[in-house]
Amino acid sequence: MTHLPLLLSPEVAEARASGTPLVALESTIITHGMPFPRNVETARAVEADIRKAGAVPATMAVLDGTLHVGLTSDQLDRLAALEDVAKLSRADLATCIARGGHGATTVAATMIAAQLAGIEVFATGGIGGVHRGAELSFDISADLRELSLTPVTVVAAGAKAILDLPKTYEVLETLGVPVIAMGQDVLPAFWSRRSEIAAPLRMDTAAEVARSHRMRARMGLSGGQLVTNPIPEADEIPQSDLAPLIDQALADADAAGMSAKAVTPFLLDRIFQLTEGRSLEANIALVRNNARLAAAIARELCSLPSIAG
Ligand code: PSU
Ligand code: MN
């Protein structure tokens, strides 16, 4: 591993040596997705959920030009306290490392880091996607293309409802990315359990997801799988409550002239304000739910032969 710009945390190195299942975690959700101090508290809770489910968490971030695979408790605190930390995707991950900078990894950059570290499963809240109005702005998250390139199974609660969901799933279909709904026939919509979009694939067990991941590797298919896991019922926000607030947040983003990387963090923050914090509680619950499913998938993967099976 020394030829790669990676540093495994002691816990991740130990898991690697003993064959313990690993689950990758992103860090943009910490630096740009949630307000302090709930961001660090959530990061710790998610890590604890993964350990409790029999796997080891590997939170990814760049600190002083080193790509960390797994953060120590001090490093996590340091990342959360950094001001103006870069939000890294495929386009700027290598540059940040080369310059000796700091940065948080998005879904796309976390998938790249996971692949470099040999980690096959990754849990997050929501992936980036096609923004509303993309027919004019061309704002389509690099997360979608990454899913078609990098062989990591990503567990999310769907794409965020601030996006254009039908267009997001059309692009994933075009790119040949398997989109799996866990335990239901429609795709979830992040803060709400159900969207109106039929699930392209449905699976009911972590073992099915793991077998499908392995079969793709065996067939030499590039890219990962997107597993969409509905938010627990007790934590969901009905779509009818959210729809007008999302419209308001989008209008505010427009009025504030938001573009490029600033759009998603701005919208998440506005919805947090407009729901008086309810969106954050739902976001935390769904990330933790996704972490538990990702750990179960990682455990199933460990029990399968690495490629031949
Ligand atoms: N979903 C969340 N919170 C977040 C993000 C997604 O609930 O903070 C982040 C992820 O890191 C995702 C990124 O990769 O937003 C997408 O940003 P963009 O739309 O600029 O590609
Ligand atoms: Mn974008």
Side-chain angles (χ1 to χ4, degrees):
M1 196 70 47
T2 49
H3 58 294
L4 290 170
L6 289 184
L7 186 64
L8 306 194
S9 69
E11 186 189 14
V12 169
E14 156 63 28
R16 173 58 81 59
S18 63
T20 307
L22 283 155
V23 173
L25 295 168
E26 63 156 305
S27 47
T28 295
I29 191 167
I30 304 171
T31 57
H32 294 71
M34 292 183 185
F36 183 84
R38 298 304 301 280
N39 58 349
V40 208
E41 290 164 16
T42 302
R44 289 193 205 291
V46 168
E47 291 198 349
D49 290 333
I50 290 173
R51 291 187 190 103
K52 209 170 144 200
V56 164
T59 303
M60 310 292 185
V62 179
L63 291 170
D64 300 306
T66 296
L67 176 51
H68 289 267
V69 178
L71 297 179
T72 63
S73 186
D74 287 352
Q75 287 164 345
L76 187 62
D77 284 332
R78 188 174 162 219
L79 178 77
L82 284 174
E83 278 178 31
D84 295 324
V85 56
K87 172 181 161 188
L88 303 173
S89 189
R90 168 173 280 262
D92 40 18
L93 177 62
T95 302
C96 180
I97 296 169
R99 284 181 174 156
H102 310 305
T105 56
T106 58
V107 168
T110 304
M111 290 180 75
I112 293 169
Q115 188 198 15
L116 290 173
I119 301 175
E120 297 171 293
V121 187
F122 160 27
T124 184
I127 60 160
V130 179
H131 282 266
R132 299 196 198 176
E135 59 274 30
L136 294 177
S137 68
F138 274 52
D139 189 347
I140 301 176
S141 177
D143 292 350
L144 300 186
R145 187 169 164 273
E146 203 60 50
L147 278 161
S148 74
L149 291 173
T150 302
V152 172
T153 287
V154 179
V155 182
K160 276 163 298 210
I162 52 175
L163 300 166
D164 187 322
L165 295 189
K167 288 197 184 70
T168 298
Y169 291 111
E170 286 296 344
V171 169
L172 287 169
E173 185 185 343
T174 302
L175 293 172
V177 175
V179 175
I180 300 156
M182 280 313 280
Q184 62 183 33
D185 296 314
V186 291
L187 293 169
F190 200 71
W191 294 291
S192 321
R193 281 179 70 78
R194 303 174 68 81
S195 71
E196 267 138 44
I197 305 169
L201 293 165
R202 170 187 174 150
M203 293 186 193
D204 292 274
T205 65
E208 271 182 282
V209 176
R211 282 197 297 271
S212 182
H213 179 105
R214 273 289 186 280
M215 185 56 74
R216 293 178 58 83
R218 200 172 151 193
M219 295 173 72
L221 293 172
S222 65
Q225 312 187 103
L226 176 62
V227 177
T228 65
N229 190 28
I231 182 172
E233 216 165 319
D235 303 296
E236 79 167 328
I237 308 180
Q239 244 177 343
S240 51
D241 289 11
L242 265 180
L245 305 180
I246 291 173
D247 288 343
Q248 176 70 50
L250 288 161
D252 294 346
D254 241 9
M258 289 296 141
S259 66
K261 281 174 187 264
V263 175
T264 297
F266 180 92
L267 290 172
L268 289 175
D269 185 51
R270 273 309 279 148
I271 289 172
F272 169 69
Q273 293 162 8
L274 292 167
T275 60
E276 291 163 357
R278 198 170 159 206
S279 67
L280 177 63
E281 299 313 318
N283 200 342
I284 292 169
L286 67 85
V287 182
R288 297 185 63 176
N289 190 45
N290 295 343
R292 291 186 287 264
L293 174 58
I297 296 168
R299 288 212 325 266
E300 292 291 345
L301 279 167
C302 268
S303 71
L304 293 172
S306 64
I307 198 165

